[in-house]
């Protein structure tokens, strides 16, 4: 599963936000089950930023959010995110090592 949180950051807050985002990334990627993460900024809209992480499963992600270090370093940043869904399940992936893979959904849709 992967998590994408987006942020609107005014130009005058760029330096502060960048530091907070790096702190959050460090805290999240240190948790068991985190596969990778990144902080990025939109090329087309420089005030739009993203923090993205990839996890072994939703349980690892939820456990990470309850970790005290993550609460101190990442959760304050999360309060600034755009209010939209952030957690997604992988359905179709591609890597150089494994090529394209299809994944079953874990969601029960009625």
């Amino acid at each position: 599963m992967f998590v994408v949180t987006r942020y609107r950051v005014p130009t005058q807050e760029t330096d502060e936000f960048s530091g907070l985002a790096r702190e959050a990334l460090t805290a999240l990627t240190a948790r068991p089950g985190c596969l990778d993460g990144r902080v990025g900024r939109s090329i087309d809209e420089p005030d739009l930023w993203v923090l993205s992480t990839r996890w072994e499963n939703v349980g690892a992600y939820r456990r990470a959010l309850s970790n005290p270090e993550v609460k101190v370093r990442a959760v304050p940043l999360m309060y600034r995110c755009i209010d939209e869904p952030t957690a997604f399940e992988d359905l179709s992936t591609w890597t150089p090592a494994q090529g394209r893979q299809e994944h079953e959904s874990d969601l029960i849709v009625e």
Side-chain angles (χ1 to χ4, degrees):
M1 64 129 346
F2 60 101
V3 178
V4 177
T5 51
R6 299 183 320 140
Y7 307 84
R8 287 279 177 200
V9 181
T11 304
Q12 65 272 20
E13 296 177 23
T14 296
D15 289 340
E16 177 188 2
F17 180 83
S18 179
L20 290 172
R22 286 183 176 94
E23 288 277 322
L25 182 64
T26 298
L28 289 164
T29 57
R31 302 307 314 145
C34 186
L35 302 173
D36 61 48
R38 62 190 56 176
V39 172
R41 188 177 189 181
S42 172
I43 294 168
D44 299 315
E45 294 182 47
D47 69 330
L48 184 60
W49 290 66
V50 65
L51 170 63
S52 176
T53 51
R54 198 167 52 93
W55 298 85
E56 289 177 353
N57 53 53
V58 69
Y61 173 62
R62 289 183 176 158
R63 283 188 295 280
L65 290 181
S66 66
N67 177 270
E69 185 72 10
V70 170
K71 285 182 180 180
V72 169
R73 296 172 71 189
V75 172
L77 183 74
M78 302 300 178
Y79 288 119
R80 300 176 69 150
C81 72
I82 295 172
D83 186 15
E84 62 187 5
T86 60
F88 301 87
E89 62 179 346
D90 287 316
L91 297 177
S92 185
T93 58
W94 180 91
T95 64
Q98 298 177 332
R100 191 172 126 195
Q101 294 185 312
E102 301 300 320
H103 308 274
E104 291 291 323
S105 175
D106 290 330
L107 297 177
I108 299 172
V109 181
E110 296 181 27

